[in-house]
Amino acid sequence: MQFIDLAAQYKHLKERIDKRIQTVLEHGQYIMGPEVQELEEKLADYVGVKHAITCANGTDALTLALMTLEIKEGDAIFCPTFTFFATAEVIAYEGATPIFVDSDPDTFNICPIDLENQIQKVIEEGALNPKAIIAVDLFGLPANYPEIEAIANKYNLKLVEDAAQGFGGEISGKRAGSFGDIATTSFFPAKPLGCYGDGGAVFTNSDGYAELIKSYRVHGKGKDKYDNVRIGMNSRLDTIQAAILLEKLQEFPTELKARNLVAQNYTKELMGKYKTPFTPEGYISSWAQYTLQHESRDVIMAEYKAKGIPTMVYYGTCMHQQTAFEYLGYNKGDFPVAEALSDSVFSLPMHGYLK
């Protein structure tokens, strides 16, 4: 049994994907070929935003967002401590300071109450400039954007949606990737919409932000690649990956329905035995992972392994406990909900072809 069965997906889409790749091989435009623009247009239409700009990976997508928002040394950027390392890594990479926030005990996403507490604490201390929030759509479920956006507006902060896991999720019909000032996603193979390598995208309704992102992703180019008007980076999505994603995006709504059916069946069978995922009213999850919580995690995972069922832990160490962030001075117990999650959550197999 596979935790994420990419082979089953490829078998289902093989003829269409192979044809797309063959077309790229024939026209030979491997970098920024026509499939890249076609994908960007279809991604923007699916998410419901004006602009979708593809890039090399999800981490670069976050970096491009922070570069566009002019994040710099002395800025405080608020993000969850219970998430993948990249969310906080890109903040430090820009010279800014990550300010970690505890989790909501039910959704596992960033807690709006603690978010506001952390913002007020930074303001009171006065050493850093509160600049932005990065909210993560953890395990496929969009964060609480109605409350987070209100907090961002209250304190005049920019908001970035990290939808690396949330692509396909919704709040009241508004899709992940359309929240905040800028949103990002990842097309890493294991993500809900994944390619066969690395890939990412940035979403925004701002024409100005879109032009900056397009420039930054190709060495800060101006009118052409030899006119460099700012310091940028090299972060382009390969044409072959765009071709693959075009076919996967077409199939994605069907796979999303299948993922939700799997999640419903899991919950029906496992409710009461474990703490099962909570989806608030009006929300739709894309189920990047189906994550359970239990104090005897290691014993339970061993039992599943003995039955030939793979399980995974996302995430075993919070950001404030990572060696790389020791310089920030956080201690065990600073974020009790997130720390409890890192000690007790585990995920079951989840994909659109699970029987």
Side-chain angles (χ1 to χ4, degrees):
M1 187 179 191
Q2 299 296 315
F3 188 77
I4 299 173
D5 198 341
L6 295 175
Q9 183 191 51
Y10 174 63
K11 183 178 179 181
H12 178 69
L13 299 174
K14 183 180 187 308
E15 185 175 340
R16 290 157 53 185
I17 288 175
D18 288 356
K19 184 178 179 180
R20 279 279 191 178
I21 293 174
Q22 185 61 39
T23 299
V24 177
L25 295 174
E26 289 173 357
H27 68 56
Q29 299 178 54
Y30 301 114
I31 303 295
M32 302 298 285
E35 286 80 3
V36 173
Q37 182 177 347
E38 182 185 354
L39 176 65
E40 290 178 342
E41 291 171 355
K42 289 185 176 178
L43 285 171
D45 181 66
Y46 177 83
V47 170
V49 293
K50 288 180 68 176
H51 305 283
I53 302 102
T54 56
C55 59
N57 55 69
T59 305
D60 280 3
L62 284 169
T63 297
L64 288 164
L66 297 190
M67 291 170 72
T68 300
L69 295 175
E70 300 181 347
I71 304 304
K72 60 186 183 301
E73 185 177 354
D75 289 338
I77 313 300
F78 303 88
C79 72
T81 185
F82 186 62
T83 184
F84 182 62
F85 189 72
T87 305
E89 178 183 33
V90 296
I91 298 169
Y93 193 77
E94 295 304 310
T97 302
I99 304 296
F100 295 118
V101 180
D102 210 351
S103 303
D104 180 284
D106 294 319
T107 66
F108 305 165
N109 277 324
I110 190 169
C111 173
I113 296 172
D114 192 52
L115 171 61
E116 186 160 21
N117 290 340
Q118 297 298 332
I119 293 170
Q120 291 174 347
K121 182 178 178 182
V122 168
I123 292 172
E124 290 169 4
E125 291 175 349
L128 297 170
N129 173 40
K131 188 68 175 288
I133 301 164
I134 301 179
V136 179
D137 302 340
L138 199 67
F139 304 150
L141 183 70
N144 186 347
Y145 290 106
E147 291 191 27
I148 296 169
E149 287 179 338
I151 292 170
N153 291 333
K154 180 178 178 180
Y155 294 96
N156 196 28
L157 302 175
K158 297 296 184 182
L159 175 58
V160 176
E161 177 191 4
D162 180 349
Q165 297 178 32
F167 190 87
E170 298 181 15
I171 302 177
S172 301
K174 186 175 170 65
R175 282 185 168 147
S178 65
F179 297 99
D181 298 280
I182 301 177
T184 68
T185 199
S186 168
F187 300 127
F188 184 78
K191 294 295 190 287
L193 179 65
C195 56
Y196 291 158
D198 269 321
V202 187
F203 305 95
T204 185
N205 283 313
S206 167
D207 296 340
Y209 286 166
E211 288 307 308
L212 279 173
I213 294 162
K214 290 175 183 177
S215 172
Y216 279 131
R217 72 168 169 178
V218 188
H219 304 289
K221 74 168 188 164
K223 63 180 181 294
D224 58 52
K225 67 179 181 179
Y226 297 117
D227 175 38
N228 305 99
V229 297
R230 54 183 60 88
I231 302 299
M233 60 198 298
N234 179 20
S235 186
R236 299 166 298 196
L237 181 69
D238 292 341
T239 308
I240 285 178
Q241 299 300 344
I244 292 164
L245 285 166
L246 280 165
E247 292 306 322
K248 288 198 173 190
L249 180 60
Q250 184 176 339
E251 193 71 15
F252 187 63
T254 300
E255 292 183 356
L256 199 58
K257 289 179 182 178
R259 284 173 173 269
N260 273 273
L261 181 59
V262 170
Q264 290 171 20
N265 289 335
Y266 271 149
T267 299
K268 180 181 177 181
E269 295 296 327
L270 300 174
M271 184 177 288
K273 187 174 182 181
Y274 311 106
K275 182 176 180 180
T276 53
F278 170 72
T279 303
E281 186 176 354
Y283 286 62
I284 294 175
S285 177
S286 61
W287 299 106
Q289 280 85 36
Y290 184 90
T291 302
L292 300 166
Q293 188 177 6
H294 199 283
E295 292 178 356
S296 301
R297 175 178 69 191
D298 293 345
V299 173
I300 294 166
M301 290 178 69
E303 291 173 352
Y304 275 112
K305 183 178 180 180
K307 297 176 182 178
I309 300 170
T311 56
M312 295 282 286
V313 173
Y314 305 90
Y315 298 93
T317 305
C318 292
M319 290 301 98
H320 71 282
Q321 297 172 310
Q322 295 284 357
T323 303
F325 290 124
E326 285 181 351
Y327 71 95
L328 294 174
Y330 287 104
N331 298 302
K332 183 176 176 61
D334 284 345
F335 302 100
V337 176
E339 290 172 26
L341 292 175
S342 68
D343 288 337
S344 60
V345 297
F346 67 101
S347 301
L348 296 179
M350 171 58 75
H351 53 85
Y353 300 86
L354 191 62
K355 301 302 180 185

